[in-house]
Amino acid sequence: MNRTLSLLFFFIFSVSLLAQTGGDERNAFLHRSNAAAKAYRSAKQQQYGVFLRRSWGIEAESAPKEDPFKRGDAGRPAEDSLTDIVVPVDDPVVVRKTAPSEVVISKGKFPFRFYGRTYRVRYNRSADLVLASDSESDVASAWDALSASSTNLVDDCLTIRKRAALCDWAYLQMVDSLSTDVYPDMENERELLFGFLMGKSGYSVRFGRSGDALTCLYGAKQIIYAQSYFPDEDAYFFRHRPGQGSLALSETVPEGTRLLDFGLTRCPEFTLGPELVRHVKTGSIEFDYRIPKSQLDFYASYPHTEMHIKADAPVSDAVRRTVYPALSSAISGKGQVDAANTILCPGSDGISDRQVEMGIREMELP
C-alpha cells in the first residue's frame, strides 16, 4: 500500500514538473514571438519613414480623358411625372423600418459623422501634429510620429470597413470625413492623416507637393473621366486635394499595394437620416419608393468612371422592395416582347415583334 502511494506521488510530481517545464517553454516562445513581432513592426515603421525622406521628383500630370458617357437625361421620365417628398428622420415609421443599429467602436473616444452615422474611434488629441513644412524630412517625421501613436486608429477604421461592408470609394470617403474632422482648418495635416490611414489600410498612396501645399494621391484601377491623373504602370493616381499641374511626388507607400477599385459588389445601406419618397408614373407603371437621402448623396459623389461599373452595380434593397412588385404587376400575363416593351418603353408603342426578330437574326449572323 505504501509503495503504491509512493508511486502515485512520484507520478503526480513528475507530471507537475513536466507541466511547469512545458509552461516555461511556452512562455519563452511567446516572449520571443512578441519581441519578433515588435521588431518587425518597428522595422516597417522605419521603412515608411525612409521612403518619404527620399528626394521627391517632379512629375507632370496627364491630361484628363474625355468622358465618352456624358451625363444626360436620356431615358428619364418626364419631370412632371416625378414628385419628391423629404421625410424627416423623426418620423417613427421611417425610423422603425429603416434605422439599423449603428456601427460604432465600443471603446471609441473621437466621434465623427459619415453619411448620417456617428462613429467613434480610438484617437487621442494629444497625437495631433503640426507640420513645420511640407519638406521630405518634416513629412517623414510626422509619418513616424503617427506610426508610433495611431495603431489603434488604423485598426478601428479597418473594423468599421469590415462591419459596414464599405466598398473602396466609401472607405476613402470615410477616411476623408475622419481626417477632416480631426483637422478641419489644417489642410496639409489633413492630407497627411488621410494618406497615412489609407496607406496603413493597404491602399497604394503617394504624396505630392506644389508650393506650400501638400496633397495625397491615391492609386486606382479605373480611370476617372474628365479628371487629370498621374500614370504609374497599370494604375492611375488621382489627387485627393484639388489642383492642377506638375507635382514633386514621393514614392508609393511600400506596403500599400491595393489599388482603389470603383466596382460595386453590393449597395451600401446608408439608412439613417431623412428619406426621399419618390412617386413615379410613366405609362402603365406607377409606384412609390423610399430611399435615404444619404444614399443618394453617396451615389452623387461616385466618380464618373467606366460605364460597366454602374451598369454592373447591384440593385439596392429599397428598389427591390418597391419597384420590383410594380414591374411584376405591369407585365403580368404578357409575352416576353410585350413585357420588355412595357419596361423599356412605357407609354409608347415600343419595339415591334418584327424588330425583335430581325435583331435576333442579326446577332446570329457569322
Side-chain angles (χ1 to χ4, degrees), residues 18 29 54-55 179 192-193 219 347:
L18 287 173
F29 171 78
R54 296 171 184 167
S55 179
S179 304
L192 179 61
L193 180 59

Side-chain angles (χ1 to χ4, degrees), residues 256-274:
T257 58
R258 178 172 176 172
L259 295 175
L260 212 72
D261 188 347
F262 295 124
L264 277 170
T265 57
R266 59 170 291 179
C267 292
E269 297 294 335
F270 299 119
T271 52
L272 297 181

